[in-house]
Amino acid sequence: MPPSEPIGEKIPLSDYKLFYWSVPFRGQFVRAVLAFAGMSWTEADDGSISKLMNGPVSAMPIPFMGPPVLIDIKADFAISEMPAIVLYLGETLNLLPATPALRALTLKVVNDANDVIDELSLNGGRDMWSEARWQKTLPRVKKWMTLWEETGKRHGLESDRGYLLGEEKPGIADVITATLWTTLTDRFSKVDTALQEAAPMTAALSRRISALPPLAKLAERARREYGDAYCGGEIGALMAAVLNA
């Protein structure tokens, strides 16, 4: 994949380099935070990522098992693991809430989102989707959705106003929420139906945040570059086959 175009402000030189596959799966959260913050980045192609993963650990920018990996070019710092990357960006770009409680809740939302995509990909293909497995798993998926709905409810969220943690403007928790649910519901109709039933305020919040220009542009680019893909290989193919009506 060629280097990405800046999504936010026009900055002559890229601020970051991202190593992640050409799909809108785990790395999409990192892309979304970068876009929301108006930062620029380039992306390594899939072949370069594979070569780095299969090479010696001593040659890695940071020891890691799988992407995403983010390099902060100006700081000459590399970090892996999606929640750690988001925490780093939140700290260095002043995107985190002011209080320890809200910062902790923000990180909880990030980790919950990471867990949800693991469950919906059946732990990276450890098992494979079938209609019977989806019906068995659906109550648990809806319970995950209600975690967001109850969190928003406790912080004054309404269908047409407010934010997940009751802040005065969108924060990382809202960006992660929107990226998680709109990326899934745009590709899998059964997930969309379940979210509308189990967590309608979360669905509405996700649409409001995803409509922000930087995130809307990012979603358009994902469609253009990745098509209907969510994650790769047989895992993605079975998700598409089973999770669409």
Side-chain angles (χ1 to χ4, degrees):
M1 185 175 66
S4 66
E5 298 175 358
I7 298 296
E9 299 175 6
K10 296 295 185 181
I11 303 173
L13 297 175
S14 295
D15 302 292
Y16 303 90
K17 184 168 185 178
L18 175 64
F19 293 78
Y20 196 69
W21 310 116
S22 301
V23 291
F25 190 56
R26 207 179 309 275
Q28 197 71 1
F29 297 113
V30 179
R31 294 175 180 129
V33 174
L34 289 169
F36 178 72
M39 309 309 291
S40 66
W41 71 97
T42 57
E43 297 199 19
D45 60 47
D46 290 358
S48 298
I49 296 170
S50 295
K51 183 177 180 181
L52 189 62
M53 287 175 61
N54 293 325
V57 174
S58 59
M60 295 176 175
I62 184 171
F64 76 101
M65 289 297 290
V69 171
L70 186 72
I71 298 176
D72 183 334
I73 295 171
K74 294 177 183 176
D76 191 24
F77 175 74
I79 185 68
S80 63
E81 296 291 349
M82 187 276 285
I85 294 171
V86 172
L87 175 63
Y88 175 75
L89 290 173
E91 291 279 7
T92 56
L93 299 176
N94 297 315
L95 298 175
L96 292 175
T99 68
L102 289 181
R103 290 198 297 273
L105 281 173
T106 296
L107 189 57
K108 179 213 183 272
V109 170
V110 175
N111 281 282
D112 280 348
N114 208 33
D115 288 345
V116 167
I117 65 172
D118 278 340
E119 291 213 17
L120 283 174
S121 65
L122 294 177
N123 294 310
R126 185 175 299 170
D127 297 302
M128 290 296 177
W129 279 114
S130 65
E131 181 60 29
R133 188 182 296 277
W134 170 249
Q135 292 302 326
K136 183 178 180 180
T137 306
L138 182 55
R140 182 173 174 87
V141 172
K142 286 187 172 182
K143 183 175 180 180
W144 271 113
M145 294 169 173
T146 62
L147 266 60
W148 267 265
E149 196 79 348
E150 181 63 23
T151 298
K153 181 179 178 181
R154 293 184 187 190
H155 292 90
L157 178 66
E158 299 179 29
S159 292
D160 60 348
R161 62 176 62 90
Y163 301 107
L164 188 71
L165 300 182
E167 298 175 85
E168 295 183 357
K169 60 183 181 180
I172 283 182
D174 304 289
V175 173
I176 295 297
T177 297
T179 303
L180 171 67
W181 294 118
T182 59
T183 304
L184 284 165
T185 57
D186 284 350
R187 288 162 177 81
F188 307 117
S189 60
K190 291 181 181 178
V191 179
D192 187 23
T193 298
L195 186 66
Q196 296 292 342
E197 292 173 353
M201 290 194 304
T202 304
L205 170 67
S206 297
R207 293 297 171 193
R208 280 195 284 121
I209 300 301
S210 293
L212 296 173
L215 298 183
K217 188 173 181 180
L218 181 68
E220 289 171 6
R221 199 189 85 196
R223 279 293 189 187
R224 184 173 67 248
E225 295 186 357
Y226 316 135
D228 292 331
Y230 180 66
C231 57
E234 189 178 358
I235 304 168
L238 276 174
M239 288 181 72
V242 174
L243 301 186
N244 280 310

